[in-house]
Amino acid sequence: MALEHAILVSLLEKPGSGYELARRFERSIGYFWTATHQQIYRVLKRMENDGWVAARDVPQHGRPDKKEYSVADLGHAALSSWLREPIEPESVRHDLAVKIRGAAFDDPAGLVREVERHRQAHTDRLAHYLAGEARDFPPRPDDATDDATPPDAERELQHAVLRGGIAYERMMIGWLDDVLATLRRF
């Protein structure tokens, strides 16, 4: 996936300025596709030049005008084409896993603190995801199901991605618990 596609998806969800896009990447999109502010601004400029996005000046009180970007017809077409292309399953590049294997040739117990740090980071991210799920996707009471209301694809697919993140963090925490138990035997 190119950064362009992540930007198109974000702008289709809600038009915004380069700054607002960068904030979205920090808060949500960045958990599965990272980009720096500079990369986002550089790619936005190229996408505007290529006709994928349109920008309009939005006046602000007491501050300079901002550019608000939205997806143009060419951007819709590019995203639609990309969505239909097959992609290969991603290979995992995991530095910590290499360190864990390498610990066999050093002091395995010396890696405990680093694994604990990673476990805490995944625990924190899981808590963040769960808080977001509770806030944005509260459970509906069983008697509130309304078969006449069509599903909202954008909302349902956002929740599916979030559930994937929750599952991933739970898997990582379980794996790191196993690694810690193994390391502590040495």
Side-chain angles (χ1 to χ4, degrees), residues 12-169:
L12 285 168
E13 290 175 346
K14 182 177 181 183
S17 67
Y19 175 77
E20 291 163 342
L21 275 172
R23 297 274 305 175
R24 287 183 217 162
F25 272 75
E26 289 172 1
R27 284 190 319 247
S28 61
I29 294 172
Y31 289 121
F32 56 90
W33 189 265
T34 58
T36 66
H37 287 220
Q38 294 83 6
Q39 289 172 312
I40 291 169
Y41 283 105
R42 188 172 44 248
V43 170
L44 268 175
K45 178 95 171 133
R46 185 173 64 241
M47 292 171 72
E48 184 179 13
N49 290 339
D50 292 345
W52 285 24
V53 297
R56 69 178 184 98
D57 289 327
V58 176
Q60 300 188 103
H61 300 291
R63 294 189 296 189
D65 294 351
K66 69 177 181 178
K67 272 187 160 183
E68 182 178 86
Y69 295 91
S70 59
V71 178
D73 289 343
L74 284 175
H76 271 279
L79 182 63
S80 182
S81 174
W82 178 76
L83 288 172
R84 286 165 177 69
E85 292 175 7
I87 57 173
E88 292 299 316
E90 297 172 4
S91 297
V92 175
R93 183 178 157 197
H94 205 289
D95 292 343
L96 183 61
V98 176
K99 280 189 171 202
I100 292 166
R101 285 184 67 153
F105 304 102
D106 192 51
D107 174 20
L111 198 55
V112 167
R113 193 175 354 225
E114 178 69 357
V115 175
E116 288 173 338
R117 187 178 70 82
H118 280 258
R119 188 190 187 288
Q120 186 61 53
H122 287 284
T123 300
D124 293 346
R125 186 169 297 157
L126 175 60
H128 176 77
Y129 285 171
L130 291 171
E133 182 180 44
R135 180 191 65 236
D136 298 335
F137 304 99
R140 293 173 44 174
D142 289 336
D143 60 352
T145 58
D146 181 4
D147 294 332
T149 305
D152 177 348
E154 179 181 341
R155 185 166 169 74
E156 293 293 326
L157 294 173
Q158 286 173 348
H159 194 198
V161 171
L162 179 58
R163 288 191 309 267
I166 290 168
Y168 175 78
E169 295 306 327

